[in-house]
Amino acid sequence: MDRPSETSMAHTGPKVALISSGLGHVRRGIETWMGELARNLSPRLDVELWGGAHLAGWPCRTMALPVVRRGSPWLARCSWGYRYHLEQMSAIVPAVLKLRRRKVDLAFCGDPSLAWNLKRFRSFHGARVVFSDGMRLTPRWLQEYDGIHLLAPRYLEEAAAVVKPENLGRFFVIPYFVELGLFRPPEPGERERLRARMGIPAEAQVAVTVGPVGSASNKRLDHVVRELEQAGSHWHLLSAGADEDGSSAVREEAGRRLGSRIQFLGAIPRSDLAEVYRAADCYVLGALAEPFSIAILEALASGLPVVHHPDPITTWVSGTGGLPVSMEQTGAAAGALGRLVAETGLRERLGAAGRDLVVRRNSPDVVSDALAERFRALCKRC
């Protein structure tokens, strides 16, 4: 039965469903984004939040889609990609039926297999389908959606080079946002208190990285571990993220190289993650390329400089708060960490510049206003 978790506000605009097959049982970038977007769009639009589990505590209507969860034990031997695909495919029929029954005007989805099939059945359910491309997919594949949400200007440049001119207007650029109140720089003495609680020596330098522990994703935690080892025994590493395929090997190498100087925190609540950022001195991303890292925004909002590979998208995201160095060259990241310690005021300057950037470009109000305006225009035009 469709049942609202809370009474939503009265709106006269289009009805928008934000759909994520993993919401409610998975904590990754797209699930975090969809949930926080619902919270910030609900005062602006008639929003419903649909996930693969019962959702409670949101300021809008919520719908639970019966799905085959990618974390199910009986799928443990399958690859992560197959499990994710199967979960999305199991959500298609219930999502299509709900879109038709609830007379939804626009469906916004970041799960590629699910979104593609929602697009296929547009004539049945009647909703416009907008895909949020957080996976760096090819623009040719995307161009038949009613709208394609891109996260950085470079993606629009790439689309302009390959899609049909009549379809280019379907692509639009709006970045992710970050909750500036939750993710903030530490108050005087707060960093020291947090480190004491976590058992980190007061004189240590602390790096944090966020993402799955293993070899299935592109986070390259093993490379970060090797660079921290080379940077010196005064560096400690905090790793936040759930285990994935290959986690045992990564954990074993990390323990061998860093010993007690690495802490695996697991998939922790976001309120705890905010404290992890405030306990750290910098953020390190080992990936050679990222579609768009929400964790980088969180780190920048927390006043942390970000050490990362000079991928053009990641460099645009980190902006004035980034310290790009090659993550393919041994010792390059270790050298950047050394600079943060040796150059007086460098860490503070980068941290302040990064915080200022996200306040101007990635605040919830700026991003939510832009998306609400785009959704209204899409429904009106269509």
Side-chain angles (χ1 to χ4, degrees):
M1 178 183 298
D2 296 335
R3 182 177 299 168
S5 63
E6 296 184 23
T7 303
S8 59
M9 297 175 59
H11 293 278
T12 58
K15 179 184 288 187
V16 176
L18 309 179
I19 307 174
S20 172
S21 67
L23 190 65
H25 59 93
V26 176
R27 288 183 189 152
R28 292 176 71 97
I30 185 61
E31 290 80 21
T32 298
W33 160 244
M34 284 295 182
E36 293 306 314
L37 180 59
R39 195 183 305 281
N40 286 276
L41 275 184
S42 58
R44 296 167 170 84
L45 292 173
D46 183 4
V47 173
E48 297 185 354
L49 183 60
W50 299 9
H54 174 70
L55 304 171
W58 299 93
C60 61
R61 289 180 179 268
T62 61
M63 302 291 160
L65 299 173
V67 300
V68 177
R69 298 186 182 184
R70 70 189 84 163
S72 297
W74 62 276
L75 293 176
R77 295 189 177 184
C78 302
S79 69
W80 181 90
Y82 179 78
R83 297 197 305 267
Y84 180 35
H85 174 70
L86 183 62
E87 176 187 280
Q88 295 175 75
M89 297 301 287
S90 69
I92 293 169
V93 171
V96 167
L97 293 176
K98 285 181 184 293
L99 287 173
R100 179 184 174 95
R101 183 164 58 243
R102 300 194 58 76
K103 297 180 171 58
V104 170
D105 297 297
L106 186 146
F108 185 65
C109 183
D111 299 314
S113 299
L114 175 56
W116 178 261
N117 284 280
L118 295 181
K119 176 177 66 71
R120 288 179 59 209
F121 290 100
R122 279 177 299 193
S123 60
F124 175 78
H125 59 66
R128 305 302 168 183
V129 179
V130 177
F131 179 65
S132 183
D133 184 20
M135 304 184 73
R136 217 169 192 171
L137 302 179
T138 170
R140 289 187 188 276
W141 184 82
L142 298 173
Q143 63 183 325
E144 299 301 328
Y145 284 94
D146 298 294
I148 304 94
H149 170 221
L150 305 177
L151 298 168
R154 186 179 181 91
Y155 292 138
L156 187 58
E157 297 170 6
E158 294 172 354
V162 297
V163 305
K164 300 174 183 177
E166 62 269 24
N167 288 340
L168 186 59
R170 303 181 184 189
F171 292 80
F172 60 94
V173 177
I174 299 174
Y176 288 144
F177 60 71
V178 60
E179 295 292 344
L180 298 170
L182 176 61
F183 297 98
R184 56 167 177 78
E187 298 173 353
E190 186 178 11
R191 177 181 285 120
E192 291 73 19
R193 291 193 298 271
L194 290 171
R195 290 186 180 187
R197 193 176 73 194
M198 300 174 72
I200 299 173
E203 68 278 7
Q205 298 293 319
V206 180
V208 60
T209 190
V210 177
V213 177
S215 56
S217 67
N218 66 347
K219 301 299 183 181
R220 300 178 74 239
L221 178 59
D222 53 344
H223 179 78
V224 173
V225 165
R226 291 191 289 270
E227 293 298 303
L228 261 289
E229 180 188 34
Q230 187 170 337
S233 60
H234 54 293
W235 278 99
H236 288 236
L237 180 62
L238 302 176
S239 170
D243 285 0
E244 64 175 11
D245 298 345
S247 61
S248 297
V250 173
R251 283 175 174 269
E252 181 181 353
E253 180 178 4
R256 186 174 66 253
R257 292 182 179 274
L258 298 181
S260 62
R261 293 188 291 119
I262 182 169
Q263 292 186 31
F264 291 100
L265 306 175
I268 59 178
R270 299 190 76 225
S271 58
D272 293 345
L273 180 58
E275 291 188 340
V276 172
Y277 289 122
R278 292 199 288 274
D281 294 295
C282 69
Y283 184 87
V284 182
L285 177 68
L288 302 181
E290 282 275 278
F292 193 107
S293 174
I294 293 177
I296 284 183
L297 294 185
E298 294 168 347
L300 293 173
S302 304
L304 295 182
V306 178
V307 179
H308 61 83
H309 190 71
D311 170 70
I313 299 298
T314 307
T315 301
W316 182 82
V317 174
S318 67
T320 50
L323 193 58
V325 295
S326 174
M327 289 292 172
E328 296 178 296
Q329 178 182 343
T330 299
L337 295 175
R339 284 187 58 195
L340 291 174
V341 176
E343 295 186 25
T344 302
L346 177 60
R347 181 170 65 87
E348 290 76 13
R349 290 195 301 273
L350 290 174
R355 171 73 183 187
D356 179 68
L357 173 67
V358 296
V359 167
R360 290 184 285 106
R361 188 184 66 190
N362 303 100
S363 76
D365 284 343
V366 169
V367 173
S368 298
D369 284 344
L371 274 173
E373 181 179 353
R374 174 63 64 164
F375 290 166
R376 292 190 192 99
L378 267 171
C379 292
K380 183 176 181 181
R381 183 169 71 242
C382 293

